[in-house]
Amino acid sequence: MKTIKVSGMSCGHCVASVTKALEEIDRVCDISVDLASGLVQYKTTADVDTSVIKNAILKIGFTPED
Amino acid sequence: MKTIKVSGMSCGHCVASVTKALEEIDRVCDISVDLASGLVQYKTTADVDTSVIKNAILKIGFTPED
């Protein structure tokens, strides 16, 4: 399980958007987003560079933290 | 132009949801939602009871004010 912190999510629609964006990435699964903490957890079935995850989040208007 | 105040909208996704919910009601058009103020404006091409508008908003999880 990997964890990334995302800022800018304010409601359930935001959570759904982030979840969907990560679901669309190959080899990423079991995505879990906690709105209160901004923590996004996911598994990868093979090596997926974190930059791919971060770019997908940026693209839909949220901010992945380092 | 009619105006209703809606609480619970926190982001652009919420604005899009409210806009879409009202767009789906017959005889409602020209919907404009202001996130900062919570004010939702719309026109009706014939008589549409305010309760229809309010119910559509409630149904998607927001709160129309009296």
Side-chain angles (χ1 to χ4, degrees):
Chain A
M1 204 63 137
K2 294 172 185 179
T3 302
I4 187 172
K5 187 161 162 58
V6 174
S7 63
M9 296 188 293
S10 55
C11 71
H13 298 114
C14 298
V15 169
S17 291
V18 169
T19 303
K20 186 167 174 292
L22 297 201
E23 275 172 355
E24 286 170 359
I25 302 171
D26 284 342
R27 304 185 299 280
V28 172
C29 61
D30 290 353
I31 300 141
S32 157
V33 179
D34 183 68
L35 176 59
S37 63
L39 293 180
V40 176
Q41 292 191 305
Y42 60 95
K43 282 184 192 167
T44 56
T45 57
D47 210 30
V48 175
D49 199 281
T50 310
S51 68
V52 172
I53 304 292
K54 289 188 176 182
N55 283 338
I57 290 168
L58 277 169
K59 199 174 167 185
I60 56 165
F62 299 101
T63 309
E65 297 180 12
D66 285 325
Chain B
M1 204 64 136
K2 294 172 184 178
T3 302
I4 187 172
K5 188 161 163 55
V6 174
S7 64
M9 295 188 294
S10 56
C11 73
H13 298 115
C14 298
V15 170
S17 291
V18 169
T19 302
K20 185 168 175 290
L22 297 202
E23 276 172 355
E24 285 170 359
I25 303 172
D26 285 341
R27 305 187 298 280
V28 173
C29 62
D30 291 352
I31 299 142
S32 158
V33 180
D34 183 68
L35 176 59
S37 64
L39 293 180
V40 176
Q41 292 191 305
Y42 60 95
K43 282 184 191 168
T44 56
T45 57
D47 210 32
V48 175
D49 198 279
T50 309
S51 68
V52 172
I53 305 292
K54 290 187 175 182
N55 283 338
I57 291 169
L58 277 169
K59 199 174 168 185
I60 56 165
F62 300 100
T63 310
E65 298 180 11
D66 286 325

